[in-house]
Amino acid sequence: MPHFTVIPVQDKRKVDYDDLEGFSWVDYRDTGQTSADPYDSVSSDGHGDNKENKPFLPSSESNKEFYDQNLALFEEELDIRPKVSSLLSRLVNYTNLTQGAKEREASDSSEELNKKVSKSPNMGTLIGVYLPCMQNILGVILFLRLTWIVGVAGVLQTLLIVLICCCCTLLTAISMSAIATNGVVPAGGSYFMISRSLGPEFGGAVGLCFYLGTTFAGAMYILGAVEIFLVYIAPSAAIFHSPNLEENSSATLNNMRIYGSLFLTLMVVVVFVGVKYVNKFALLFLACVIVSILSIYAGGIKSIFAPPQYPICMLGNRTLSRDQFDICSKTEIMDNETVATKLWEIFCGSYNLSTNSCDEYFLENNVSEIAAVPGAASGILKDNLWSNYLTSGELLEKSHQRSVAVPGSPSNNRIYVVADITTTFMVLVGIFFPSVTGIMAGSNRSGDLRDAQKSIPVGTILAILTTSFIYISTVILFGACIEGVVLRDKFGDTVNKNLVVGIMSWPSPWVIVIGSFFSTCGAGLQSLTGAPRLLQAIANDNIIPFLQVFGYGKANGEPTWALLMTAVIAELGILIASLDMVAPILSMFFLMCYLFVNLACAVQTLLRTPNWRPRFKFYHWTLSFLGMSICLALMFISSWYYALVAMLIAGVIYKYIEYQGAKKEWGDGIRGLSLSAARYSLLRLEEGPPHTKNWRPQLLVLLKLDEDLHVKYPRLLTFASQLKAGKGLTIIGTTLQGNFLESYGEVQAAEQTIKNMMEIEKVKGFCQVVVSNTVGSGISHLIQSSGLGGMKHNTVMLGWPYGWRQSEDPSSCKTFIDTVRCTTAAHLALMVPKNVPFYPSNHERYLDGTIDVWWIVHDGGMLMLLPFLLKQHKVWKKCKLRIFTVAQMDDNSIQMKKDLATFLYHLRIEAEVEVVEMHNNDISAYTYERTMMMEQRSQMLRQIRLTKTERNREAQLVKDRHSITHLETPYLGEEMEIEMQPDKIHMTWTKEKYWSRQRSGNNIEEPFRELINIKPNQGNVWKMHTAVKLNEVIVNRSHNAKLVLLNMPGPPKNPDGNENYMEFLEVLTEGLERVLLVRGGGREVITIYS
């Protein structure tokens, strides 16, 4: 821990600064306003007197402003940012909050935080992490299934299973320790770590998987407790019985369901009424586990010198169920007479020794007894090293026992011990893995730890190493002490319904039975306590909308609704009624959780984010990837169909949160991974332009906003979404006129408006707002600078300037034409939708109709590609495509049609082809008149603008002269009256100019009279002729088309022809409802090659 020394700084007096040249004293003392800073914990009395404790400063009234005077240079920053002392005070007094309490913390006022005196956490590594992990890891599988796994898989393969599972949890614990020590982890642990490291989507999916795993673990513990109760403690309590073996299995499952439901109901009531008692008895349950394990070791040591006497009865090499008879012999001597035993009656049907109805195998083989626990010194270990997998219904046989084989199936299966399920290595892995889960218990208590960043890694890893040693040693101990057929006997039928692990314990088997029963009950209560709180935490984070109801509970915060939901899900597990079938289910969910813990650590390590600074240094991304690979392998090894179901559940939750969930920014690693991937992709795209096969329109849509900052033509966004269908790049840009320093608020409002409209119209892209002195320069900036690297736009979509004819302002069409010139100079494609309010919305469907393409000049294939992309959208999908081209007099129209059809065939585009012939007709009077009217209008507008400009300039000059003469001579007499008549003066003010204008008759209408004698330009006449003729042909053929795509003529080089150019475009598109003017960018965008 670094040491700091605080040294008081002497305040210089005001007079010390007065002698400095150019220095003027400024008083920065508080003027009575209270601080609005939510982070500043320094209290104030409302009169500017801060009550911050200053132990190193004098407390006199004259020095209360000492702190502010020394930081006068940072006065503006201190108004909105906390002082260092305040920040450190808040960090020191930080209290760990429960999961999902971020919003709750934000709602608390600073006064409440200051008044609240929180109890400091004081749990250490042993009590807070080590023992809870031990209690959660050791449990039902150790007592009920480990001996059976050793008997079936053999000692070597069981050690392999234990090693794989323990390595998985150890590597996960290393990754978890790195995440847990990378900052303060609030209470809630595992869910908090995953969600804040991988984002809300992964966090919600994995959090729910972890919740389901914990809930099914509760069901497994309850089934284990019921099994101990019905099989080993009170077999007579069974409700359902069956005389034959097949129905006996169903009766056992029904008993498990009935008692499991009763146990679950009782435990839910206990959790609902008194959860504090569950926590108080946790150490008692842990003591039961420890005592039971110690009794196993004691029994193993004792078996070396004095093995326990538990004989098992063998018929040949077959194992008999000892609870159905008392004497392991065919006959016995009673009163000097040989009589039949119960065993004879079972196999022969009567006690008559001369009967001929005995089972043939019974007659051919001898009955013998062998020791169930030969002891550690017997050398039985070498017989138990190898596996002996069984199929369902197969008899348990001792391999080296002498036996006479008899053809045919056994006639009396009820007396024999048989396998209840088919076993494989993969099945045993799924059953054993829950016995190594529980490593998150320490991180879940992080809010109660004195030093969580130290206790979690040390306690968790020590608990895993300890339990791994226990499992490995007990596997070897079981294999060295217990007979193989007894190990394979899951329910202890060979030893008179005793718990197999209990027969080798010392001093009594009841130590294991009672200890395991209470430990499984305690583990079930812990699961039913923790799972509802985990669900409540996910609900309080508000990332899954339909789970919000589970965030509510009792007044003290107990999750009532979450507990009810947990009970319902646990009941589903209990209705399965088989511990061996429930164990693989919860294995899947825990493995999913552990997989993403490793993924989170690996992602954070590889990204090297600045905030990734864990105190735990013994980690590496390769270890995390190894742990993740083991988790994934174990999932499919255990049960590939359960693994697919678990991944499907997680995937569905992920996609649901992605589309419907709340937007959360937690600084997660997935966002960092996206940034790294985006950077890598952008650098790759910089290597060269995209190939023609990969070309698609990357749009820059130029929107216009009205005075209220609302989108003026939202159908532009609709058309863009139909064209893009979520693919490629879309940038929505707009320009605000003004000064950026004064318009920042308007920029934010405009961005939010556009983003809302993009969401409504389902446009996937980015928004960019530029503030500029003029709209034209702002659009030019957007065209030049939008995009990044290889992800730049290659196509500009521009709205049509409606009302340009009615406006006297030349900028109404000049901005439009300048934008066309900018796109041409930048070699960008251009699309101009005309009459865009009539374009269809995303909810409309065209069930018929055509999209007509008028291919007049080659533009690189844009006219062919755009309708193909539009037809991918559901709005235009049913429309047919027609392509028209224009033939001149010297063209062979028939051959052109064949060539065009061949070209479209190679392009894989289905369309009708038609060639339209345009003859060299003479220019009509209508065309000549239309051209003359156009040029007269243009000349008239120029004269009006010139006159208006001169008038404005004259008014300004008059005002300036008046100001100057007013300063020189206060009284100007009659001349002043003449000056104040600006309506008589139209040029620069002089008397001579005035009288000369009077003599000329003030003839200002002369320029307008010249318009009558104007003659149209011959080039404009031919352009108008082309526009009129093309319009006639297009309207004739395509007046009913849903959309017409047309080559857009290039703008004039001379700005004086702007109005004429706009008139040509208007004439060209007259009478068409929906027109898309297209201008290529100077490169091929479609190819016939694969």
Side-chain angles (χ1 to χ4, degrees), residues 850-954:
T850 61
I851 300 177
D852 289 357
V853 176
W854 285 85
W855 190 18
I856 300 171
V857 294
H858 181 55
D859 56 355
M862 279 284 290
L863 284 173
M864 307 294 176
L865 184 61
L866 291 178
F868 171 77
L869 296 177
L870 277 176
K871 281 172 62 64
Q872 308 303 309
H873 197 271
K874 55 189 176 182
V875 173
W876 307 92
K877 195 175 186 65
K878 300 292 184 180
C879 293
K880 295 181 179 180
L881 179 59
R882 297 193 302 178
I883 297 181
F884 299 88
T885 188
V886 177
Q888 302 298 322
M889 285 293 295
D890 53 348
D891 294 328
N892 186 342
S893 58
I894 298 176
Q895 187 62 37
M896 280 183 65
K897 185 173 182 178
K898 291 181 179 180
D899 294 342
L900 181 56
T902 303
F903 179 60
L904 292 177
Y905 174 78
H906 289 303
L907 288 177
R908 290 89 64 198
I909 294 178
E910 296 182 2
E912 297 180 10
V913 177
E914 190 169 344
V915 177
V916 179
E917 296 182 353
M918 287 187 63
H919 303 289
N920 290 329
N921 294 333
D922 294 333
I923 297 175
S924 63
Y926 170 75
T927 302
Y928 192 87
E929 182 181 356
R930 186 81 181 256
T931 309
M932 187 171 63
M933 290 175 59
M934 175 188 71
E935 295 196 354
Q936 287 177 350
R937 179 183 179 281
S938 300
Q939 184 67 21
M940 184 181 301
L941 287 174
R942 279 195 291 271
Q943 292 295 337
I944 291 175
R945 291 164 192 157
L946 181 62
T947 305
K948 186 176 180 180
T949 304
E950 287 183 352
R951 286 182 178 179
N952 292 337
R953 186 166 58 248
E954 284 298 317

Side-chain angles (χ1 to χ4, degrees), residues 384-401:
N384 293 330
L385 286 177
W386 315 110
S387 62
N388 193 345
Y389 294 107
L390 304 172
T391 58
S392 180
E394 184 178 350
L395 302 181
L396 267 64
E397 299 176 347
K398 183 174 174 59
S399 58
H400 301 295
Q401 189 79 5

Side-chain angles (χ1 to χ4, degrees), residues 997-1035:
R997 292 296 296 271
Q998 289 293 331
R999 285 192 297 270
S1000 63
N1002 199 15
N1003 189 10
I1004 63 173
E1005 285 79 11
E1006 185 175 350
F1008 296 98
R1009 292 173 183 170
E1010 296 176 358
L1011 296 176
I1012 302 174
N1013 301 323
I1014 194 171
K1015 292 183 178 181
N1017 181 275
Q1018 193 66 21
N1020 289 339
V1021 173
W1022 281 108
K1023 290 179 180 178
M1024 182 64 73
H1025 173 71
T1026 303
V1028 171
K1029 294 297 294 182
L1030 271 177
N1031 178 257
E1032 289 178 359
V1033 174
I1034 294 173
V1035 170

Side-chain angles (χ1 to χ4, degrees), residues 335-642:
D335 298 332
N336 294 323
E337 184 181 352
T338 302
V339 296
T341 61
K342 178 66 175 176
L343 192 60
W344 183 281
E345 191 272 337
I346 293 174
F347 280 98
C348 297
S350 69
Y351 288 96
N352 186 1
L353 293 176
S354 60
T355 182
N356 294 323
S357 61
C358 291
D359 181 74
E360 185 176 357
Y361 187 84
F362 177 75
L363 295 175
E364 294 291 336
N365 290 276
N366 295 325
V367 177
S368 61
E369 282 188 335
I370 61 175
V373 185
S378 63
I380 196 68
L381 178 62
K382 64 181 180 180
D383 295 332
N384 293 330
L385 286 177
W386 315 110
S387 62
N388 193 345
Y389 294 107
L390 304 172
T391 58
S392 180
E394 184 178 350
L395 302 181
L396 267 64
E397 299 176 347
K398 183 174 174 59
S399 58
H400 301 295
Q401 189 79 5
R402 187 171 177 272
S403 174
V404 178
V406 174
S409 59
S411 60
N412 197 343
N413 276 348
R414 188 173 178 84
I415 191 64
Y416 295 118
V417 181
V418 298
D420 62 332
I421 62 172
T422 300
T423 53
T424 61
F425 181 83
M426 296 184 292
V427 170
L428 297 183
V429 170
I431 293 175
F432 176 78
F433 187 79
S435 64
V436 297
T437 59
I439 62 174
M440 300 290 188
S443 62
N444 290 339
R445 295 169 179 251
S446 56
D448 301 322
L449 299 175
R450 187 185 307 113
D451 187 358
Q453 298 189 6
K454 175 184 176 183
S455 298
I456 290 177
V458 175
T460 304
I461 294 176
L462 282 180
I464 292 174
L465 294 177
T466 305
T467 53
S468 300
F469 170 78
I470 292 174
Y471 284 128
I472 292 173
S473 60
T474 51
V475 166
I476 297 174
L477 195 61
F478 293 155
C481 296
I482 304 176
E483 176 62 47
V485 289
V486 179
L487 289 173
R488 290 189 288 277
D489 181 11
K490 184 186 293 185
F491 301 107
D493 292 327
T494 57
V495 287
N496 201 18
K497 290 294 183 180
N498 279 305
L499 185 61
V500 174
V501 70
I503 62 175
M504 68 167 289
S505 63
W506 183 86
S508 169
W510 286 102
V511 175
I512 298 291
V513 173
I514 300 301
S516 60
F517 177 76
F518 281 109
S519 67
T520 50
C521 289
L525 285 172
Q526 292 287 348
S527 297
L528 293 177
T529 303
R533 281 157 179 75
L534 180 59
L535 181 60
Q536 186 184 40
I538 299 172
N540 286 336
D541 262 348
N542 197 24
I543 58 175
I544 305 178
F546 69 84
L547 291 182
Q548 290 184 5
V549 65
F550 299 112
Y552 303 103
K554 293 192 292 187
N556 59 354
E558 291 299 321
T560 307
W561 292 105
L563 177 61
L564 182 61
M565 185 66 185
T566 302
V568 171
I569 298 175
E571 178 64 22
L572 295 178
I574 287 173
L575 291 178
I576 297 174
S578 173
L579 189 148
D580 300 326
M581 294 182 66
V582 173
I585 297 177
L586 65 98
S587 295
M588 291 304 111
F589 292 123
F590 278 120
L591 281 168
M592 182 80 71
C593 178
Y594 296 166
L595 185 148
F596 281 102
V597 169
N598 286 293
L599 176 63
C601 180
V603 167
Q604 297 280 21
T605 306
L606 289 175
L607 290 179
R608 298 178 182 176
T609 53
N611 191 53
W612 181 247
R613 302 184 302 273
R615 291 186 179 275
F616 182 77
K617 301 300 182 183
F618 304 101
Y619 72 94
H620 196 266
W621 66 269
T622 54
L623 296 178
S624 299
F625 267 111
L626 180 60
M628 186 173 60
S629 303
I630 294 176
C631 289
L632 190 61
L634 284 176
M635 288 177 66
F636 284 92
I637 286 174
S638 303
S639 176
W640 63 268
Y641 43 89
Y642 280 161

Side-chain angles (χ1 to χ4, degrees), residues 184-288:
V184 179
V185 178
S190 55
Y191 164 69
F192 182 91
M193 288 188 296
I194 296 172
S195 60
R196 270 57 177 182
S197 297
L198 293 180
E201 293 87 2
F202 278 109
V206 180
L208 278 184
C209 286
F210 190 51
Y211 163 73
L212 292 174
T214 306
T215 304
F216 275 101
M220 184 190 71
Y221 293 135
I222 292 173
L223 288 175
V226 172
E227 182 178 316
I228 295 171
F229 178 75
L230 289 179
V231 178
Y232 307 113
I233 297 178
S236 59
I239 300 174
F240 300 98
H241 302 276
S242 177
N244 57 63
L245 185 64
E246 289 75 12
E247 296 182 4
N248 186 51
S249 177
S250 299
T252 302
L253 294 179
N254 290 330
N255 287 324
M256 297 285 285
R257 293 186 181 104
I258 296 295
Y259 279 96
S261 301
L262 292 176
F263 274 47
L264 175 63
T265 304
L266 181 62
M267 290 183 180
V268 168
V269 171
V270 170
V271 172
F272 179 77
V273 174
V275 68
K276 58 182 179 180
Y277 300 110
V278 176
N279 296 326
K280 287 182 179 179
F281 283 105
L283 290 179
L284 175 62
F285 299 140
L286 177 60
C288 293

Side-chain angles (χ1 to χ4, degrees), residues 777-808:
S777 62
I779 293 176
S780 177
H781 292 325
L782 284 173
I783 293 175
Q784 295 177 59
S785 60
S786 293
L788 180 64
M791 287 294 289
K792 292 183 69 70
H793 57 279
N794 54 29
T795 306
V796 177
M797 183 180 290
L798 179 65
W800 181 261
Y802 302 100
W804 66 272
R805 282 173 169 168
Q806 290 77 26
S807 175
E808 295 183 1

